[in-house]
Short mmCIF file of all heavy atoms in Angstrom, two decimals:
data_model
loop_
_atom_site.label_atom_id
_atom_site.label_comp_id
_atom_site.label_asym_id
_atom_site.label_seq_id
_atom_site.Cartn_x
_atom_site.Cartn_y
_atom_site.Cartn_z
N TYR A 1 4.32 6.12 7.55
CA TYR A 1 3.71 5.51 6.34
C TYR A 1 2.71 4.45 6.74
O TYR A 1 1.62 4.35 6.29
CB TYR A 1 4.78 4.88 5.44
CG TYR A 1 5.10 5.68 4.22
CD1 TYR A 1 5.97 6.79 4.36
CD2 TYR A 1 4.63 5.38 2.97
CE1 TYR A 1 6.30 7.55 3.26
CE2 TYR A 1 5.00 6.14 1.86
CZ TYR A 1 5.83 7.19 2.01
OH TYR A 1 6.15 7.97 0.88
N LEU A 2 3.10 3.58 7.73
CA LEU A 2 2.28 2.48 8.19
C LEU A 2 1.02 3.02 8.88
O LEU A 2 -0.09 2.52 8.62
CB LEU A 2 3.07 1.57 9.10
CG LEU A 2 2.29 0.38 9.70
CD1 LEU A 2 1.70 -0.51 8.54
CD2 LEU A 2 3.16 -0.40 10.62
N LEU A 3 1.18 4.05 9.66
CA LEU A 3 0.11 4.62 10.36
C LEU A 3 -0.99 5.17 9.41
O LEU A 3 -2.16 4.98 9.51
CB LEU A 3 0.58 5.75 11.29
CG LEU A 3 -0.49 6.41 12.23
CD1 LEU A 3 -0.91 5.37 13.27
CD2 LEU A 3 0.12 7.63 12.90
N ILE A 4 -0.51 5.95 8.40
CA ILE A 4 -1.40 6.57 7.43
C ILE A 4 -2.01 5.52 6.51
O ILE A 4 -3.23 5.52 6.25
CB ILE A 4 -0.65 7.64 6.64
CG1 ILE A 4 -0.23 8.79 7.56
CG2 ILE A 4 -1.57 8.20 5.45
CD1 ILE A 4 0.76 9.75 6.97
N SER A 5 -1.22 4.59 6.05
CA SER A 5 -1.75 3.47 5.18
C SER A 5 -2.76 2.64 5.96
O SER A 5 -3.73 2.18 5.36
CB SER A 5 -0.62 2.59 4.76
OG SER A 5 0.17 3.24 3.76
N GLY A 6 -2.59 2.54 7.26
CA GLY A 6 -3.57 1.79 8.07
C GLY A 6 -4.93 2.46 7.98
O GLY A 6 -5.96 1.78 7.90
N CYS A 7 -4.95 3.80 8.11
CA CYS A 7 -6.22 4.53 8.06
C CYS A 7 -6.85 4.31 6.68
O CYS A 7 -8.09 4.07 6.58
CB CYS A 7 -5.95 6.02 8.27
SG CYS A 7 -5.42 6.49 9.93
N ILE A 8 -6.09 4.41 5.58
CA ILE A 8 -6.66 4.28 4.25
C ILE A 8 -7.11 2.84 4.02
O ILE A 8 -8.17 2.59 3.48
CB ILE A 8 -5.59 4.69 3.23
CG1 ILE A 8 -5.21 6.15 3.41
CG2 ILE A 8 -6.11 4.46 1.81
CD1 ILE A 8 -4.02 6.59 2.56
N ALA A 9 -6.26 1.86 4.40
CA ALA A 9 -6.68 0.48 4.19
C ALA A 9 -7.91 0.09 4.94
O ALA A 9 -8.80 -0.60 4.40
CB ALA A 9 -5.48 -0.44 4.57
N ARG A 10 -8.06 0.51 6.17
CA ARG A 10 -9.28 0.22 6.95
C ARG A 10 -10.53 0.84 6.30
O ARG A 10 -11.57 0.24 6.27
CB ARG A 10 -9.10 0.69 8.38
CG ARG A 10 -8.14 -0.12 9.24
CD ARG A 10 -8.31 0.24 10.67
NE ARG A 10 -7.95 1.59 10.96
CZ ARG A 10 -6.74 2.04 11.23
NH1 ARG A 10 -5.73 1.23 11.16
NH2 ARG A 10 -6.55 3.29 11.51
N SER A 11 -10.36 2.07 5.80
CA SER A 11 -11.48 2.69 5.13
C SER A 11 -11.86 1.90 3.88
O SER A 11 -13.06 1.58 3.66
CB SER A 11 -11.08 4.10 4.72
OG SER A 11 -12.04 4.71 3.89
N LEU A 12 -10.90 1.55 3.07
CA LEU A 12 -11.22 0.81 1.87
C LEU A 12 -11.87 -0.59 2.17
O LEU A 12 -12.83 -0.98 1.54
CB LEU A 12 -9.93 0.57 1.03
CG LEU A 12 -9.38 1.85 0.40
CD1 LEU A 12 -8.03 1.52 -0.30
CD2 LEU A 12 -10.34 2.46 -0.60
N ARG A 13 -11.33 -1.22 3.21
CA ARG A 13 -11.93 -2.49 3.57
C ARG A 13 -13.36 -2.34 4.05
O ARG A 13 -14.28 -3.19 3.76
CB ARG A 13 -11.11 -3.17 4.70
CG ARG A 13 -9.73 -3.67 4.21
CD ARG A 13 -8.89 -4.14 5.37
NE ARG A 13 -7.50 -4.35 5.01
CZ ARG A 13 -6.48 -4.22 5.82
NH1 ARG A 13 -6.64 -3.88 7.10
NH2 ARG A 13 -5.27 -4.47 5.38
N SER A 14 -13.62 -1.29 4.80
CA SER A 14 -15.00 -1.07 5.28
C SER A 14 -15.98 -0.81 4.18
O SER A 14 -17.19 -1.03 4.34
CB SER A 14 -15.02 0.13 6.25
OG SER A 14 -14.89 1.36 5.63
N LEU A 15 -15.43 -0.37 3.04
CA LEU A 15 -16.25 -0.13 1.86
C LEU A 15 -16.38 -1.32 0.93
O LEU A 15 -17.00 -1.27 -0.14
CB LEU A 15 -15.71 1.07 1.10
CG LEU A 15 -15.84 2.42 1.76
CD1 LEU A 15 -14.95 3.47 1.12
CD2 LEU A 15 -17.29 2.91 1.81
N GLY A 16 -15.70 -2.41 1.30
CA GLY A 16 -15.81 -3.63 0.55
C GLY A 16 -14.65 -3.94 -0.37
O GLY A 16 -14.67 -4.97 -1.09
N PHE A 17 -13.57 -3.20 -0.29
CA PHE A 17 -12.39 -3.41 -1.12
C PHE A 17 -11.41 -4.34 -0.32
O PHE A 17 -11.20 -4.10 0.85
CB PHE A 17 -11.71 -2.10 -1.51
CG PHE A 17 -12.57 -1.21 -2.36
CD1 PHE A 17 -13.23 -0.16 -1.81
CD2 PHE A 17 -12.64 -1.44 -3.76
CE1 PHE A 17 -14.04 0.67 -2.58
CE2 PHE A 17 -13.41 -0.60 -4.50
CZ PHE A 17 -14.12 0.48 -3.95
N ARG A 18 -10.75 -5.25 -1.05
CA ARG A 18 -9.81 -6.14 -0.41
C ARG A 18 -8.43 -5.53 -0.35
O ARG A 18 -7.46 -6.01 -0.96
CB ARG A 18 -9.84 -7.49 -1.12
CG ARG A 18 -11.22 -8.15 -1.09
CD ARG A 18 -11.26 -9.37 -1.94
NE ARG A 18 -10.40 -10.45 -1.43
CZ ARG A 18 -10.25 -11.61 -2.04
NH1 ARG A 18 -10.89 -11.83 -3.19
NH2 ARG A 18 -9.40 -12.49 -1.54
N ALA A 19 -8.29 -4.43 0.37
CA ALA A 19 -7.06 -3.68 0.43
C ALA A 19 -6.03 -4.39 1.35
O ALA A 19 -6.43 -4.79 2.47
CB ALA A 19 -7.36 -2.28 0.90
N GLN A 20 -4.78 -4.43 0.91
CA GLN A 20 -3.73 -4.97 1.70
C GLN A 20 -2.56 -3.92 1.80
O GLN A 20 -2.34 -3.20 0.85
CB GLN A 20 -3.20 -6.25 1.04
CG GLN A 20 -4.23 -7.37 0.90
CD GLN A 20 -4.68 -7.90 2.25
OE1 GLN A 20 -3.84 -8.01 3.19
NE2 GLN A 20 -5.92 -8.24 2.37
N ILE A 21 -1.88 -3.99 2.93
CA ILE A 21 -0.70 -3.15 3.13
C ILE A 21 0.53 -3.99 2.81
O ILE A 21 0.76 -5.06 3.43
CB ILE A 21 -0.61 -2.56 4.53
CG1 ILE A 21 -1.88 -1.68 4.81
CG2 ILE A 21 0.64 -1.78 4.76
CD1 ILE A 21 -1.94 -1.20 6.25
N GLU A 22 1.34 -3.52 1.91
CA GLU A 22 2.50 -4.32 1.50
C GLU A 22 3.59 -4.32 2.61
O GLU A 22 3.71 -3.34 3.36
CB GLU A 22 3.14 -3.77 0.20
CG GLU A 22 2.18 -3.92 -0.96
CD GLU A 22 1.96 -5.43 -1.29
OE1 GLU A 22 2.96 -6.13 -1.59
OE2 GLU A 22 0.79 -5.84 -1.25
N PRO A 23 4.37 -5.33 2.75
CA PRO A 23 5.42 -5.41 3.74
C PRO A 23 6.62 -4.50 3.42
O PRO A 23 6.70 -3.93 2.30
CB PRO A 23 5.87 -6.87 3.71
CG PRO A 23 5.58 -7.31 2.33
CD PRO A 23 4.29 -6.56 1.92
N VAL A 24 7.50 -4.34 4.36
CA VAL A 24 8.75 -3.62 4.08
C VAL A 24 9.56 -4.30 3.05
O VAL A 24 9.73 -5.52 3.09
CB VAL A 24 9.57 -3.46 5.41
CG1 VAL A 24 10.89 -2.83 5.15
CG2 VAL A 24 8.81 -2.67 6.44
N ARG A 25 10.02 -3.53 2.09
CA ARG A 25 10.82 -4.10 0.98
C ARG A 25 11.77 -3.06 0.48
O ARG A 25 11.52 -1.87 0.54
CB ARG A 25 9.92 -4.64 -0.11
CG ARG A 25 8.97 -3.64 -0.73
CD ARG A 25 8.52 -4.04 -2.08
NE ARG A 25 7.85 -5.30 -2.08
CZ ARG A 25 6.49 -5.46 -2.07
NH1 ARG A 25 5.75 -4.39 -2.13
NH2 ARG A 25 5.97 -6.66 -2.06
N LYS A 26 12.88 -3.53 -0.09
CA LYS A 26 13.79 -2.62 -0.82
C LYS A 26 13.31 -2.46 -2.21
O LYS A 26 13.04 -3.47 -2.93
CB LYS A 26 15.22 -3.20 -0.82
CG LYS A 26 15.87 -3.22 0.59
CD LYS A 26 17.29 -3.65 0.49
CE LYS A 26 17.98 -3.58 1.85
NZ LYS A 26 19.41 -4.04 1.80
N LEU A 27 13.17 -1.20 -2.66
CA LEU A 27 12.59 -0.94 -3.95
C LEU A 27 13.68 -1.18 -5.01
O LEU A 27 14.76 -0.51 -5.01
CB LEU A 27 12.11 0.52 -3.98
CG LEU A 27 11.30 0.92 -5.23
CD1 LEU A 27 9.98 0.10 -5.28
CD2 LEU A 27 10.92 2.37 -5.17
N LYS A 28 13.43 -2.08 -5.94
CA LYS A 28 14.38 -2.41 -6.96
C LYS A 28 13.77 -2.16 -8.33
O LYS A 28 13.12 -3.04 -8.93
CB LYS A 28 14.84 -3.86 -6.87
CG LYS A 28 15.61 -4.20 -5.61
CD LYS A 28 15.99 -5.69 -5.54
CE LYS A 28 16.77 -5.97 -4.26
NZ LYS A 28 17.19 -7.40 -4.23
N THR A 29 13.82 -0.95 -8.77
CA THR A 29 13.29 -0.54 -10.09
C THR A 29 13.93 0.65 -10.63
O THR A 29 14.37 1.55 -9.87
CB THR A 29 11.79 -0.33 -9.97
OG1 THR A 29 11.26 0.08 -11.27
CG2 THR A 29 11.44 0.80 -9.02
N ASN A 30 14.07 0.77 -11.90
CA ASN A 30 14.58 1.95 -12.52
C ASN A 30 13.49 2.73 -13.21
O ASN A 30 13.75 3.73 -13.89
CB ASN A 30 15.68 1.58 -13.59
CG ASN A 30 16.91 0.92 -12.99
OD1 ASN A 30 17.37 1.39 -11.98
ND2 ASN A 30 17.42 -0.11 -13.65
N SER A 31 12.27 2.36 -13.03
CA SER A 31 11.14 2.98 -13.67
C SER A 31 10.90 4.37 -13.10
O SER A 31 11.08 4.63 -11.90
CB SER A 31 9.84 2.15 -13.46
OG SER A 31 8.73 2.85 -13.99
N ALA A 32 10.52 5.30 -13.97
CA ALA A 32 10.18 6.67 -13.53
C ALA A 32 8.76 6.70 -13.01
O ALA A 32 8.34 7.75 -12.43
CB ALA A 32 10.29 7.61 -14.71
N ALA A 33 7.98 5.58 -13.11
CA ALA A 33 6.58 5.57 -12.72
C ALA A 33 6.40 5.15 -11.29
O ALA A 33 6.84 4.01 -10.90
CB ALA A 33 5.75 4.69 -13.69
N CYS A 34 5.63 5.91 -10.52
CA CYS A 34 5.41 5.52 -9.09
C CYS A 34 4.63 4.23 -8.97
O CYS A 34 4.85 3.39 -8.14
CB CYS A 34 4.60 6.67 -8.46
SG CYS A 34 3.90 6.27 -6.84
N PHE A 35 3.69 4.02 -9.97
CA PHE A 35 2.78 2.85 -9.85
C PHE A 35 3.38 1.63 -10.51
O PHE A 35 2.71 0.59 -10.68
CB PHE A 35 1.42 3.20 -10.42
CG PHE A 35 0.56 3.94 -9.43
CD1 PHE A 35 0.70 5.31 -9.30
CD2 PHE A 35 -0.33 3.31 -8.60
CE1 PHE A 35 -0.08 6.06 -8.38
CE2 PHE A 35 -1.13 3.98 -7.66
CZ PHE A 35 -0.96 5.35 -7.55
N ASP A 36 4.64 1.65 -10.87
CA ASP A 36 5.34 0.47 -11.37
C ASP A 36 5.49 -0.57 -10.31
O ASP A 36 5.44 -1.77 -10.60
CB ASP A 36 6.68 0.93 -11.93
CG ASP A 36 7.58 -0.29 -12.28
OD1 ASP A 36 7.35 -0.94 -13.35
OD2 ASP A 36 8.48 -0.58 -11.48
#
């Protein structure tokens, strides 16, 4: 995940977006939505 996200984040940054990679965390949500 980190390797692939690194490729995407570098691409977005090179295009002018302030993309950040989130740290490791335990997911605490009951939402059915991925983008929650």
Side-chain angles (χ1 to χ4, degrees):
Y1 258 78
L2 180 58
L3 186 68
I4 295 167
S5 287
C7 293
I8 299 171
R10 287 193 299 274
S11 173
L12 292 175
R13 289 170 191 154
S14 74
L15 291 165
F17 297 99
R18 299 173 64 183
Q20 299 293 324
I21 299 175
E22 292 298 299
V24 174
R25 56 160 59 100
K26 290 185 178 180
L27 192 61
K28 296 180 180 179
T29 179
N30 294 319
S31 175
C34 171
F35 280 83
D36 170 78

